[in-house]
Structures are given as C-alpha cells and as structure tokens.
Amino acid sequence: MNLNQIELLRVLQETDFNLSKAAEKMCVVQSAVSRQLQMFEVELGAPLFERNGKKLIGLTLLGKRIMQEVATINQAKQNIQTIAADFMDSEHGTIHIATTHAQAKYFLPAPIQRFREKYPGVRIYMQQSSPEHLIDQLHQHKADVAICTEKVQEDTELVTKDCYEWHHAAVMPHGHPLCEGEMSLQRLANYPILTYSFGFTGRSAIESALQKAGLELDVFLSAADSDVIKTYVRAGLGVGLITGMAYDADVDSDLTARSLADFIPSSKAKIAYLRNNYLPSYVQHFIAELLAAGKNVNA
Amino acid sequence: MNLNQIELLRVLQETDFNLSKAAEKMCVVQSAVSRQLQMFEVELGAPLFERNGKKLIGLTLLGKRIMQEVATINQAKQNIQTIAADFMDSEHGTIHIATTHAQAKYFLPAPIQRFREKYPGVRIYMQQSSPEHLIDQLHQHKADVAICTEKVQEDTELVTKDCYEWHHAAVMPHGHPLCEGEMSLQRLANYPILTYSFGFTGRSAIESALQKAGLELDVFLSAADSDVIKTYVRAGLGVGLITGMAYDADVDSDLTARSLADFIPSSKAKIAYLRNNYLPSYVQHFIAELLAAGKNVNA
DNA sequence: TAAGGTTACGGCGATCGTAACGATC
DNA sequence: GATCGTTACGATCGCCGTAACCTTA
C-alpha cells in the first residue's frame, strides 16, 4: 500500500471510475494506474470495484467502506502539507470562499477589507452559488470556508459557527399602499411577492412564518439575488422580501423598505468549514474577522 | 511523502526518537531511515524534530501538530487492512482484551464461553492490568477492547458503552460481629478494611460514599484483586469490601457476605474501544455478547 | 472503430545496504 | 570507545512508458 494508490482511489471516484481519465488526472499513462489498482486489490485480497467485463462500474461493499478510510488519509495528507506551509509562511496563501450573493455583496466587503489590511499577501477567491452547492464545494475541497444562512448545520462533517442574525425587509416603490399604515403578513398577502428561491438565504424563515399564520403568499418570482429582486420591484411587479442589509438608503432611494422583524423569524448567517480540514492561520484569522463583523451587525 | 515515512514518524515516537531503534523496528538499516527522515523534512521545508547536535531529542511545534495527522493516517491504513481481512474471512482472527482482575475472573468467563461457541476460530488474548494502563493499551493498539469500571469515560478518543451495574459487598469470616445486626457505614468504620487500590474497580464509589457520610475507613490494605483481599480476610485481618460478584457461595463458604448496595453507590462496568479504530465483525459480536451478559447481570 | 482496460518488456530512478566517517557522552 | 547519526557509492527493485493486444458499445 502506498499513498499514490490511495490517491488513485480518490481520483477514481472523481472520474466516475474511469481509469483513463484518472491516469490523465494523475499525469501518468493509463497502464500505470491499471497496474497500481490491480496490485492494491491483490494486496487486500478482494476487489474494490464492481466490474462489467473489464470496465469499472462502481464500488463493491468492501470498496465503499474502504473509501471512507481513503478519504481520511487523503485529508490528513493534505493537512500535513497545509500545516507545514502555514508554519513556514503564514502571510501568504489563498482562501477560497463559497457563499451566496447576499453575503458576498452586503456582508463580506467590510470584513474582507479589514482582513486584507492585515494579510495583503493572501489571495482571495470568492465563489457564488446555492447553499446546497456551497456544501459540495467544501466537501470537494474547492472551498475552505462557506458563509450562508441555510442548510449547513445538518452536516456532521462540518463545523458551523453563528455569524450574525438578520431580518427580512419588504421593499416597494414609493407610493405603494404598503408604505403606509400598520405592517402585517395579512396585508403582505394582498400583493404579488418577489423573494429568494427555495433553499436560499432565509427563504425557509419566510415559509415557516407563513405556515404558522395560515397564510399563503403569491410568490410569483423567486431569485437567488437581492438585486434582481429589487430590479423587478422597481418595475412595479410586486413587493420584494429581501434581507434588510440589501436595502441601501442611497442607492435604493427610489424604494421604501419596511422591516419585517416582527412578522418573520430572524435568520442566522453561519460560517462553515470541514471538521477535519486544517485551516491555515490566516484562514482562522479570516473567520475571526467574519465573527467580529457579525457581532458588529448584531450590535 | 509516502506511507513508509509516515510509519517511520510513528515508530520514532515509540522509540524515544532513536533512529537506530526505529530502523531495527522497521527492518531496514539505520542509514535508510536517516535519509527518509531528512527527505521528509526537506519536502515539508521545516524540521519536525528538535535536535541536540545530530541526536533527535523531541518534536518541534510543527512536528507535534503533524504527529496528530500521522496518527490519523496510520490508523486509517490499519483500518483498511483490518476491513479487508474481515471482509475476506470474518471467522478467524484475534481479540486482545484488556481488563482488570475482577472482570476477568467474575464477569468475562460466561460471555467468552458463549462467544467461543460461535467463533471457535478466534483467538483471545486477555491482558490484566490497572484501569489507567488499560487505556494506554488501547491507545497503543495493544488491546482492541477494554472492560473496566473506572477512568474510561474521560477520554474523548474512546467510545464507551455501559455494560452492567454492580454493588460492593462486605465479606468477613463467620462469627464476625458484622455478620449480625443492621449493616451501616458507621459500624463498618469500627473495623480494619481491605479493599481495592485507588483507581481500581469501584474504589472511587467507596471514597465518595465515605466523604458524603463524613466518615473515614481504616483501609490498611489495598489490592487490585478480590481474591487477594479474601485471602487476608480469611486470615482475620479485617473486613473485605469487594464486588458482590466476587463472593461465591460454594468456594467462599467459610465467609459471610453482606451487600452494601444501600450504603455505597453502585458502580458501572464499561466497555471501551478507540473511536477511530475499525473493529472486525467478530469483535463487534464479542462486544454485543458482553452487553448481553451485562444485561443478564442487571436483571 | 472508438473507448476502456490488460499484458509484456525495457529503461530509469528511488531506495536500500555496505561502509567509512563525524560527533557526543 | 560506545552510541547515535550522516554521507558516499554501488546494486537492486519498483514503477513508469511504450506498444501490442483484448473486449465491448
């Protein structure tokens, strides 16, 4: 058994058990990986892969169980390299952040700026996508840290930290009937609604509030993006339900925003990363910066 | 980086950072391990060991952190081999049990006999020692499973399962004043006491009962072993406080036993094993057998 | 016939063992 | 001088790449 064989197993999973593609990814010829796999299976005394003729088509029961250990080894190996690199130079490196549009545009700018002042040598890559995909990004090691509101706490392989609490706001053009008078979910239900897609930033809080009130909203447009929602609100298509942060009194001076804090339960933005993944000191510092910024928001 | 280098680091820890001894353990010449270590340190870019001249005298900060990952890798590697072997043949193998005298003599015989009937191909090694040492045995992979009453639940690397509950009994020769009348801690305190050593089978329960009652016992002899205690009791040296199990009406017909269930809190015998250590199916079955036997004791 | 996988063989490089040397107690 | 570690060098064994071959869509 050697680390290349372990690595090969990982790569095979990522390439749909295709030896040729795996060989390419590992920068060796196909026959080499074929042999290595054979030798490994012989060493263990049992096949790890289901085969259709010579083609690999999946993992055996044994293979599935062993893949867990393989993942552990690869993670630890990665950690060793990261730890050593961090030890040698804790000023340079990269952070891959996976997050949603709302966080990227309205929350992250401040903490990232502060972080940059302390760590000018660290390159930051920001990747936007859906909360579900964010978690995949972490698992696939395409992101070091994720920031989002939904779905992260169910995963036992992730460490999550509460970052800040936020409320929804209703936005509409000036002169809209909802700009005046007592706000309520009932009144809201009279108008077409634009808000986040399912599984996105705080959509679940809206759903649970409605269910509790026995109401149904006419959400005729769902988007992942506060700015898209505002655009349609401006076009007079309805009332937008977005995070309070996303209303900027200057830029959005043509819109009225009213807090829904009393009607929709608050949502918690969270920071998540893989439990067994070593984070370089600057990433740990970055997370501290996020938490500090989060406290700031809550205050 | 390769698995032999990882293995080398583990062996170096076990040999007090002595390259020569490590080489011997790994069945290669000393110069080979010397080079491998150098190459690994060069690859990481920083030393893992503190050196006094050329001698290794300890781990650097980096080395300590990396050793955690090394342990993870070695464990996973071990697991892969165990899993494959278990998959190929789940009828043969070995179990290393670490336990105390009390369990070995009075609890384990029944479940081991039942286990043996189902798995005649499994060799059982039983190792007796103190509870503290039992935990070391697990960590050093010298034991697969430990059974004892004390000290195991504090260790987060261990999985522990409650096995059975037991009470202390007082044993004394027939005719001893304590054989008659109402039993109490106060009366007990009038006689010299013989019981288990500190850190052993249920000693802590005795201590806490006394502290609560504001009493002090004259424990003039502590032993690890119920049978040793009984021997001294027979010699008329005092009253023995042992686990109820250790009194056998036939063999110990010359002694009187009285339960102390009402005076000393019960103790729980526990089963422990390493969280990240894969246990072959027959070991899992053995543990199930222990738990079943434990339920039997409690009923 | 293209794509995926195996087998055979020659060459190269990593790693080992021998052996001589250096340092420290 | 005994113990411990490093360096130099030749030999070996493992692993790779080339290439021919096999099998199935």
Side-chain angles (χ1 to χ4, degrees):
Chain A
M1 192 187 317
N2 64 50
L3 281 179
N4 275 333
Q5 291 169 328
I6 300 296
E7 175 81 4
L8 171 59
L9 293 183
R10 186 183 65 81
V11 174
L12 276 172
Q13 276 193 309
E14 289 174 5
T15 56
D16 222 14
F17 314 119
N18 181 319
L19 283 177
S20 307
K21 286 179 192 158
E24 197 174 352
K25 272 208 180 190
M26 297 190 72
C27 302
V28 289
V29 297
Q30 187 269 339
S31 71
V33 301
S34 176
R35 255 171 317 188
Q36 288 299 325
L37 177 58
Q38 279 178 51
M39 290 174 61
F40 193 58
E41 289 189 324
V42 166
E43 181 179 346
L44 293 186
L48 298 176
F49 292 90
E50 301 282 5
R51 286 170 167 82
N52 187 350
K54 299 183 174 181
K55 265 187 84 159
L56 307 177
I57 55 173
L59 289 164
T60 61
L61 219 63
L62 175 64
K64 280 179 191 155
R65 181 61 187 80
I66 285 190
M67 277 300 174
Q68 297 176 22
E69 308 296 327
V70 167
T72 302
I73 293 179
N74 279 315
Q75 174 70 72
K77 176 183 145 194
Q78 175 75 47
N79 284 352
I80 288 177
Q81 282 158 345
T82 308
I83 291 165
D86 188 31
F87 194 84
M88 292 296 292
D89 172 10
S90 56
E91 301 295 320
H92 294 84
T94 59
I95 303 184
H96 290 258
I97 308 169
T99 189
T100 55
H101 173 270
Q103 312 300 337
K105 177 149 183 188
Y106 297 104
F107 174 64
L108 291 177
I112 284 185
Q113 185 161 8
R114 293 195 50 198
F115 174 77
R116 172 129 189 96
E117 282 162 18
K118 291 190 190 161
Y119 289 89
V122 174
R123 221 175 266 277
I124 299 176
Y125 298 90
M126 197 149 56
Q127 192 152 29
Q128 279 178 232
S129 56
S130 69
E132 249 177 29
H133 193 214
L134 294 185
I135 300 175
D136 285 343
Q137 302 278 331
L138 290 177
H139 281 118
Q140 291 169 33
H141 295 270
K142 290 180 182 167
D144 306 302
V145 53
I147 304 124
C148 68
T149 301
E150 309 268 346
K151 302 230 177 191
V152 283
Q153 49 213 358
E154 300 142 23
D155 193 321
T156 57
E157 284 185 44
L158 297 183
V159 177
T160 66
K161 292 181 186 295
D162 288 343
C163 188
Y164 65 93
E165 208 169 344
W166 57 269
H167 292 278
H168 285 85
V171 291
M172 45 263 159
H174 297 319
H176 190 283
L178 273 181
C179 295
E180 303 292 329
E182 188 90 355
M183 177 58 83
S184 74
L185 285 180
Q186 279 79 6
R187 284 191 69 197
L188 214 49
N190 294 328
Y191 302 93
I193 298 293
L194 305 91
T195 190
Y196 304 116
S197 307
F198 281 102
F200 262 80
T201 325
R203 173 73 184 253
S204 64
I206 298 178
E207 296 300 320
S208 63
L210 288 174
Q211 198 165 18
K212 213 170 172 182
L215 285 172
E216 208 164 322
L217 289 190
D218 171 26
V219 181
F220 84 97
L221 189 147
S222 295
D225 183 325
S226 315
D227 291 350
V228 170
I229 293 170
K230 284 191 286 186
T231 301
Y232 286 87
V233 168
R234 286 197 172 92
L237 292 179
V239 178
L241 264 48
I242 60 178
T243 166
M245 279 190 312
Y247 176 82
D248 181 323
D250 292 336
V251 178
D252 301 325
S253 58
D254 55 334
L255 298 177
T256 300
R258 300 192 64 179
S259 170
L260 296 173
D262 297 337
F263 311 106
I264 298 177
S266 67
S267 300
K268 261 191 190 143
K270 298 171 203 83
I271 302 170
Y273 52 89
L274 282 178
R275 183 179 303 282
N276 295 319
N277 188 32
Y278 176 81
L279 299 178
S281 50
Y282 56 81
V283 175
Q284 294 175 30
H285 180 86
F286 177 67
I287 289 174
E289 206 70 82
L290 292 179
L291 291 173
K295 271 194 184 154
N296 222 31
V297 169
N298 284 337
Chain B
M1 191 188 316
N2 63 50
L3 282 179
N4 275 333
Q5 290 169 328
I6 301 296
E7 175 82 5
L8 170 59
L9 293 183
R10 186 183 65 80
V11 174
L12 276 172
Q13 276 193 309
E14 290 174 3
T15 55
D16 224 14
F17 315 119
N18 181 319
L19 282 177
S20 307
K21 286 179 192 158
E24 197 175 352
K25 272 209 182 190
M26 297 188 71
C27 301
V28 289
V29 297
Q30 189 269 338
S31 71
V33 301
S34 176
R35 257 172 317 192
Q36 287 301 325
L37 178 58
Q38 279 178 52
M39 289 174 60
F40 193 59
E41 288 189 325
V42 167
E43 181 179 344
L44 293 186
L48 297 176
F49 292 90
E50 301 282 5
R51 287 170 167 82
N52 187 351
K54 299 183 173 181
K55 263 186 84 159
L56 308 180
I57 54 174
L59 289 164
T60 61
L61 219 61
L62 174 64
K64 280 180 193 156
R65 181 62 186 80
I66 284 190
M67 277 300 174
Q68 296 176 24
E69 308 296 327
V70 166
T72 301
I73 292 179
N74 279 314
Q75 173 71 74
K77 177 182 145 195
Q78 174 75 46
N79 285 352
I80 287 177
Q81 284 157 345
T82 308
I83 292 165
D86 188 31
F87 193 84
M88 292 294 293
D89 173 9
S90 56
E91 301 296 319
H92 294 84
T94 59
I95 302 183
H96 290 257
I97 308 168
T99 188
T100 54
H101 173 269
Q103 312 300 337
K105 177 148 184 190
Y106 297 104
F107 174 65
L108 290 178
I112 283 184
Q113 185 161 7
R114 293 195 51 200
F115 174 77
R116 172 128 189 95
E117 282 161 18
K118 292 190 190 161
Y119 288 90
V122 174
R123 222 176 266 277
I124 299 175
Y125 298 89
M126 198 148 56
Q127 193 153 27
Q128 279 178 231
S129 56
S130 70
E132 250 178 29
H133 192 215
L134 294 184
I135 300 175
D136 285 344
Q137 301 279 332
L138 289 178
H139 281 118
Q140 291 168 32
H141 295 269
K142 290 181 182 166
D144 306 303
V145 53
I147 303 125
C148 68
T149 300
E150 309 269 344
K151 302 230 179 192
V152 282
Q153 51 213 358
E154 300 143 22
D155 193 320
T156 57
E157 284 185 45
L158 297 183
V159 177
T160 66
K161 291 181 187 295
D162 287 344
C163 188
Y164 65 91
E165 209 169 344
W166 56 269
H167 292 277
H168 285 84
V171 291
M172 45 264 160
H174 297 318
H176 189 284
L178 272 180
C179 295
E180 304 291 330
E182 187 91 354
M183 176 58 82
S184 73
L185 284 181
Q186 280 77 5
R187 284 190 68 199
L188 215 50
N190 294 329
Y191 303 92
I193 297 293
L194 305 90
T195 191
Y196 304 116
S197 307
F198 281 103
F200 261 80
T201 323
R203 173 72 185 253
S204 64
I206 298 177
E207 296 301 319
S208 64
L210 288 174
Q211 196 164 20
K212 213 170 172 182
L215 286 171
E216 208 164 322
L217 289 190
D218 170 25
V219 181
F220 83 98
L221 186 146
S222 294
D225 184 326
S226 315
D227 292 349
V228 170
I229 293 171
K230 284 192 286 187
T231 301
Y232 286 87
V233 168
R234 286 199 171 90
L237 292 180
V239 178
L241 264 47
I242 61 178
T243 166
M245 278 190 312
Y247 176 82
D248 180 324
D250 292 335
V251 179
D252 300 325
S253 58
D254 55 333
L255 297 177
T256 299
R258 300 192 64 181
S259 170
L260 296 173
D262 297 336
F263 312 106
I264 297 177
S266 68
S267 300
K268 262 194 187 137
K270 297 170 206 81
I271 302 170
Y273 52 89
L274 282 178
R275 184 179 303 281
N276 294 319
N277 187 33
Y278 175 80
L279 299 179
S281 50
Y282 57 79
V283 175
Q284 294 176 31
H285 180 87
F286 177 67
I287 290 174
E289 206 72 80
L290 292 180
L291 291 173
K295 271 196 183 153
N296 220 31
V297 169
N298 284 338

